[in-house]
Each structure stands twice: as C-alpha cells, then as structure tokens.
Amino acid sequence: MRILLGVSGGIAAYKAVLLLRLLREDGHAVRVIPTASALRFVGAPTFEALSGEPVTDEVFEDVAHVPHVALGQGADLVVVAPATADLLARAATGRADDLLTSTLLTARCPVVMAPAMHTEMWEHPATRANVATLRERGVTVIEPESGRLTGADTGPGRLPEPEEIARAALAAAASAGPSTPGDGPPGDLSGRTVVVSAGGTREPIDPVRFIGNRSSGRQGAALAEAARARGAAVTLVAANLDDAVCGAARAAGVVVVPVETTAELRDAVRAGASEADVVVMAAAVADFRPADVPDAKIKKVPGEGPAPLTLVENPDVLAELAHDRLRPGQLVVGFAAETGDADGSVLEHGRRKALRKGADLLAVNAVGAGRGFGAPTNAVTVLDGRGEVVTEAAGSKREVADAIWDAVTKTLPGI
Ligand SMILES: Cc1cc2nc3c(=O)[nH]c(=O)nc-3n(C[C@H](O)[C@H](O)[C@H](O)COP(=O)(O)O)c2cc1C
C-alpha cells in the first residue's frame, strides 16, 4: 500500500517515527508529510532515512511534479499522527496552506487521524466541532487515550501507542480495500458494507498471562462469510481466532483484521464502522482488564501467595456503537451469550441487555455446558431493541448466521 504519514507539531511527534517503522516493516511504501511545526520536534533527516523518501512541508518544492495534488491522488491511505488541535481545525475548514493540508484535500482514499493534545484543547467546543465535522466527512478520528500528557498532568488527549494507530489505520484501509461494496456475488446485501467482530478478547496480566474467555469466533466468522456470500463488503475484526478460521474467511473474500485486547478490538471496529451499513458485535469482549500490566512476568514468591489483581472496567463497545452511530442509518447488532441463573432465564437476561445496550437487534444464545462457545451448532433468539422476539434459529453456525442476516435485511433501511 502507498501510505502518506502526516505529522503535525505536537510533543507526541516522536511517536510518528515508531509508527513509520511499523508501517515500513509491514511492507508499505510510506512518505512522511510533516507540518513546519512538526519539523521543530523531529528533524526531516530522521523521517527521510527511515522512509527512504524525500520529506518537506513545502508546496513550492519539486513543483514540476505538482506534489500538493499528486501525493494525495496517488495514496491508498493517509494517516495523520499526531494530529494537533490546529491541524484538525485546518483540515475541518478546508485550508490548504501547506503540503499536508493540500494533500488532505486531494486524497480520496481512507483518512485516519490520531489527535493528541492537552485535555483542555481536546475538550474545547471548537475542537469537538472540528472532530465532528471530520467524522461526518468520513475521516476516521481515533479517540486519544487518557494518561500522562506533556508535563506531570494527566487526562484524555494522549496519543495512542503506534501499534494501535497502525492497527486502526490498516483496518480503515482494509474496510475500503479488496472487499468493496458491489464487487461481491449478487445478493440481498450487495452494495452494503459490513463489520463483524468475532472471538474472545484477551487482557494481559503480564507478558505471558492473560484473562480470556472460551469464544472460538466461529459464529462471528460464519456471519462474516454469510454476509460476503450475500454480496456485502465485509471486514472481520478477529479477536484471537484460529489461523484456520481466519484463512477460511479470507478465502471467502472477507478482510480479516486480527486483534487481541478489547481496546484493540474497539479501535478496529470503530475504524471500520465509520464506513459500515451494519456492525455486528459477535465477539465476546472482556468486561474488565487488569489495572496495571508489568513489563516483566510476575514471579511466584513461595509462601507469599498471589499478589492481588486489581481490575478496571473496559469500555462497553456495543453500547458505544449503538449510541454513537458512526454512520447515519447504521444498524447495530449485538450478541448476548448468557447462562440462566437465580435472577432470570437466558431470555430474561437477554431482554434486559437488549433494553440496556440500545442495539437494533440482539442475538441471545445460551452458553456453557457444551452449548454455544466452540460447538459446531448454535441456537439463538433474535430480539429487537425493545426486547421483543424477532426470530428464532437453530442449526449449524452458518444456518444461524443466515437467519440473523434475514432479520437484518428486513430491518435495514433501503433494502
Ligand atoms: C512543547 C510544545 C508541545 C506542543 N504540543 C502540542 C500537542 O500535543 N498538541 C497540540 O495540538 N499542539 C501542541 N503544541 C502547539 C502546536 O505546536 C501549535 O499549535 C502549532 O501551531 C501546531 O502547528 P501544526 O498544526 O501546523 O503542526 C505544542 C507546542 C509546543 C511548543
């Protein structure tokens, strides 16, 4: 892929160097386009040496090749990391006062921006409005992390790690990539773009241990393959799926984006969702993650017993998607893997979840005791957002997938 890496003038500009390395190691041709301010943080020779391409912020260099137009036109993906408050403002208002902003106006490929700034700048109504405008225009704006900022202060505004930005950017490119609307077999999802998450997320405890769950991802993979067979462009965000399951999905024409943690899954799903007509959250995401993950393996000290494990809550990816609707008219489908207990049956728990999450459809299935996770068959009851039964299906995971798509196509506007 031909990637343009825009870098604007924030303290996190040094992380763009690591992002550049990751993208190059992944086999992409990368040209860095810094702003003048970015070059005050990181010198052009660093970007030039690592990319093997010329680096300038100027539109008046190499004018014979008209770079202010040609670079954007020839790109498969534009990533801006870090994106300063100023860069977001200039992009949102259509300014073209340097090579990077001119390129943003001429690029017709996916554009991904990773903002980084102080919390006050990030939360200012002007920045919020600029981000909303960019998102409306189809730009994927990655949420900054909460954490240590330039000085001793902390809060939302920190640039995510380069690995996460690379993953989200490649996912955005993939959802606009080889599996494109209209190139699939004709079917009732022709021309539609779909993102399906599958598998179970893993939350690291230390570099060798994790908290996980028993989801095999086969139901999600079946949903992705069924959607592709019905004509959709499909991205499968695959949380720790077997290579064989990913390989089968790829062979069916599905773009597979592997992820490990809930945070990675959230970024990848949201990156794809900004282009999607339907998002299906079939993955079993961890509700909690360890608060602190040491760099080294936690050692057993004989006689001392285990150190207490403090957990913090993960974002509710499904509820966020249902709330945010990253594309107008988007249909959001959730899954509820339930075991009945003293507080209610599987269906009663599913009904409560349907009301709580705000998704359009919720596929409820009983798990545990050999059912659901890892089994070749499944049985689901599909509820609408009010908890009313829409349909019931049982059989192979592919048959269940098709029954869910039948329910989706009846609900999706314009089908
Ligand atoms: C030490 C330092 C750190 C800065 N960090 C940031 C930052 O993280 N995010 C931001 O939006 N602006 C930051 N700024 C302000 C920008 O550099 C300034 O708004 C500049 O005009 C941005 O230009 P650009 O968007 O063309 O790169 C910082 C400035 C300095 C001096």
Side-chain angles (χ1 to χ4, degrees), residues 7-12 35-38 41 82-88 90 98 116-118 121 150 157:
V7 184
S8 52
I11 196 80
T35 62
S37 304
F41 289 90
T84 56
D86 176 64
L87 188 278
L88 295 172
R90 289 192 288 138
D98 63 6
M117 63 202 70
H118 262 83
M121 294 174 94
T150 315

Side-chain angles (χ1 to χ4, degrees), residues 334-401:
F335 263 73
E338 299 286 352
T339 59
D341 60 19
D343 288 336
S345 66
V346 167
L347 203 54
E348 283 162 350
H349 280 296
R351 284 212 166 93
R352 280 177 220 148
K353 190 164 178 178
L355 294 173
R356 218 172 48 237
K357 298 283 182 177
D360 301 288
L361 297 172
L362 189 77
V364 184
N365 65 330
V367 292
R371 291 175 305 182
F373 288 164
T377 57
N378 203 2
V380 300
T381 303
V382 180
L383 306 179
D384 65 16
R386 290 162 300 145
E388 302 293 331
V389 175
V390 175
T391 190
E392 287 178 299
S396 69
K397 287 189 169 171
R398 179 59 178 259
E399 285 166 337
V400 168

Side-chain angles (χ1 to χ4, degrees), residues 151-177:
D153 44 351
T154 60
R158 187 181 151 90
L159 190 73
E161 290 310 308
E163 289 80 3
E164 268 184 47
I165 300 172
R167 201 185 303 277
L170 296 174
S175 65

Side-chain angles (χ1 to χ4, degrees), residues 137-148:
R137 293 196 197 125
V139 174
T140 300
V141 182
I142 302 173
E143 285 291 310
E145 283 181 358
S146 206
R148 177 117 187 249

Side-chain angles (χ1 to χ4, degrees), residues 134-388:
L134 291 165
R135 283 183 173 149
E136 265 164 37
R137 293 196 197 125
V139 174
T140 300
V141 182
I142 302 173
E143 285 291 310
E145 283 181 358
S146 206
R148 177 117 187 249
L149 302 170
T150 315
D153 44 351
T154 60
R158 187 181 151 90
L159 190 73
E161 290 310 308
E163 289 80 3
E164 268 184 47
I165 300 172
R167 201 185 303 277
L170 296 174
S175 65
S179 182
T180 46
D183 75 346
D188 56 1
L189 289 170
S190 284
R192 299 292 187 165
T193 298
V194 164
V195 176
V196 180
S197 71
T201 57
R202 292 179 182 174
E203 304 298 339
I205 296 172
D206 66 16
V208 294
R209 306 179 179 98
F210 61 83
I211 299 173
N213 62 67
R214 295 182 192 280
S215 175
S216 69
R218 286 174 200 280
Q219 183 62 72
L223 277 155
E225 288 172 30
R228 183 66 185 155
R230 295 167 80 137
V234 187
T235 299
L236 177 65
V237 177
N240 307 298
L241 261 58
D242 273 5
D243 287 348
V245 177
C246 290
R250 282 196 185 98
V254 170
V255 173
V256 178
V257 181
V259 294
E260 186 181 347
T261 64
T262 300
E264 290 169 5
L265 178 136
R266 177 179 179 273
D267 282 347
V269 168
R270 290 180 72 88
S274 58
E275 308 284 327
D277 299 290
V278 187
V279 184
V280 183
M281 273 292 297
V285 294
D287 292 329
F288 304 100
R289 66 178 187 280
D292 298 302
V293 183
D295 293 335
K297 185 182 168 192
I298 300 169
K299 292 274 179 283
K300 182 171 92 176
V301 182
E304 272 198 11
L309 193 60
T310 307
L311 299 179
V312 290
E313 207 169 314
N314 269 330
D316 187 331
V317 184
L318 174 60
E320 280 181 352
L321 287 165
H323 176 266
D324 296 350
R325 303 287 162 159
L326 294 172
R327 185 174 168 171
Q330 181 174 79
L331 202 97
V332 176
V333 183
F335 263 73
E338 299 286 352
T339 59
D341 60 19
D343 288 336
S345 66
V346 167
L347 203 54
E348 283 162 350
H349 280 296
R351 284 212 166 93
R352 280 177 220 148
K353 190 164 178 178
L355 294 173
R356 218 172 48 237
K357 298 283 182 177
D360 301 288
L361 297 172
L362 189 77
V364 184
N365 65 330
V367 292
R371 291 175 305 182
F373 288 164
T377 57
N378 203 2
V380 300
T381 303
V382 180
L383 306 179
D384 65 16
R386 290 162 300 145
E388 302 293 331

